[in-house]
Amino acid sequence: MKFKLFFFLFLFCSVLLKAQPKDAKTKELGFFLGASGYAGELNPYNQFSKLMRPALGIVYRKAINRRYALKSSLLYGSIYGDDAQSNNAFQKQRNLNFKSILLELSGHLEFNFLPYEIGNDEFPWSPYIFCGLSGFYFNPKGNQDGTWRELRPLSTEGQGVIPGKKKYLRTQLSFPFGLGLKAKMGNSFAFSVEVGLRRTFTDYLDDVSGTYPDQVALGAAKGSISVLYSNPGLNKGTDNSFRQRGNSQNKDWYSFSGIMITYYLRKKPPECPAYLY
């Protein structure tokens, strides 16, 4: 069903683009500065919170016309979560934490609500919406003994140890969408402010998804460090094997929000033959 929806959305956008006049085919290059956020088991309620971290990147935008533009970006950020900072009793007792980098390569289709063209005083600004496709890399780490350790190799939910539980991939796809506002700054620069959400297809941004594994089997296969990072709960000595650790029905989300300053890449005017000699 998801693939059919994406196919029809792509087909619909293609028809709209072919129907538009080929004006205002400008190109821009610039930088992004903002913040990255996350929503998942360790931050289930508000990804635009104090847990957000700084983010930056580079952006390239090509206008198809005054209504549509294609944008590509390479963004770097990080995400963070800590049960100890939650007001939820279950999370506090669970006592998990994580941090991870986010490296994203993304392509977006933008739609301007108003005609817009950088460098043109007749069309100086417009709100816009966007959607697209992203590929991203993440690598969750946790700290339960004073050292930040990579969590995937520890098999905290029995991945690669318990039959039927495979290790998750750290390179994934996401579906970005959001809204923003863009405006020209003189004849050569443009300013944009944007809020963008990413719907992922993984539940392991934070290394938490389903149930605790068999603690004895995990310890035998991976050692005591894996058991500690799998089950650091405040009720010491409690065997949580096969109990709920996360909610595998809800995939994780992340976001990039901030400002963009882009430069208008004008074509070099052709030289006049009269001045070549």
Side-chain angles (χ1 to χ4, degrees):
M1 184 64 184
K2 293 179 182 177
F3 292 103
K4 289 183 179 180
L5 178 61
F6 289 150
F7 174 76
F8 284 116
L9 179 62
F10 173 78
L11 187 62
F12 178 68
C13 291
S14 299
V15 172
L16 284 179
L17 292 176
K18 288 182 179 180
Q20 298 297 316
K22 304 300 181 180
D23 56 4
K25 294 191 288 186
T26 58
K27 299 177 182 180
E28 306 165 50
L29 180 65
F31 67 88
F32 169 92
L33 186 63
S36 49
Y38 138 88
E41 274 79 5
L42 273 70
N43 184 34
Y45 305 115
N46 179 19
Q47 64 177 289
F48 299 103
S49 68
K50 62 182 180 181
L51 298 178
M52 297 184 76
R53 293 293 184 266
L56 52 84
I58 56 176
V59 179
Y60 173 79
R61 178 186 283 136
K62 180 179 180 180
I64 300 170
N65 51 59
R66 295 188 182 115
R67 289 286 188 178
Y68 289 92
L70 297 174
K71 182 179 68 191
S72 57
S73 61
L74 179 63
L75 304 181
Y76 177 85
S78 63
I79 51 178
Y80 171 78
D82 190 348
D83 279 341
Q85 298 185 27
S86 172
N87 295 322
N88 181 277
F90 171 79
Q91 285 186 245
K92 280 188 173 296
Q93 190 283 324
R94 185 176 59 182
N95 197 37
L96 295 173
N97 59 44
F98 93 103
K99 68 177 182 179
S100 176
I101 66 168
L102 282 178
L103 182 62
E104 179 196 76
L105 180 62
S106 186
H108 301 163
L109 173 65
E110 296 180 345
F111 171 73
N112 301 324
F113 287 97
L114 301 174
Y116 171 80
E117 184 178 358
I118 184 173
N120 190 332
D121 291 336
E122 294 184 32
F123 311 103
W125 69 281
S126 177
Y128 66 93
I129 56 175
F130 70 88
C131 65
L133 187 66
S134 298
F136 70 97
Y137 171 80
F138 67 107
N139 185 25
K141 297 181 179 180
N143 186 350
Q144 299 296 340
D145 58 357
T147 301
W148 286 99
R149 302 176 186 271
E150 292 187 11
L151 294 171
R152 183 176 180 271
L154 297 179
S155 302
T156 56
E157 293 190 356
Q159 305 97 328
V161 174
I162 307 301
K165 282 203 170 185
K166 298 181 179 179
K167 287 184 175 291
Y168 55 85
L169 298 176
R170 287 178 287 195
T171 302
Q172 298 273 351
L173 295 176
S174 66
F175 177 58
F177 61 94
L179 52 86
L181 178 70
K182 61 179 72 169
K184 65 186 284 300
M185 298 170 60
N187 293 322
S188 298
F189 290 91
F191 171 85
S192 305
V193 57
E194 182 176 287
V195 176
L197 300 176
R198 272 69 168 170
R199 195 276 193 195
T200 77
F201 302 95
T202 180
D203 194 34
Y204 282 106
L205 289 184
D206 46 23
D207 192 66
V208 184
S209 179
T211 59
Y212 292 93
D214 185 319
Q215 302 291 285
V216 175
L218 179 62
K222 290 287 186 173
S224 60
I225 293 295
S226 289
V227 174
L228 171 63
Y229 277 70
S230 172
N231 181 23
L234 298 181
N235 294 334
K236 301 300 182 184
T238 301
D239 185 356
N240 285 323
S241 298
F242 313 116
R243 293 181 179 178
Q244 182 180 358
R245 191 170 185 262
N247 182 1
S248 61
Q249 301 303 310
N250 295 330
K251 303 302 182 184
D252 293 336
W253 293 66
Y254 69 93
S255 63
F256 280 107
S257 303
I259 63 171
M260 291 173 284
I261 304 294
T262 53
Y263 176 73
Y264 179 15
L265 299 174
R266 287 183 173 86
K267 292 183 179 180
K268 184 178 179 180
E271 294 179 309
C272 180
Y275 292 97
L276 293 180
Y277 304 99

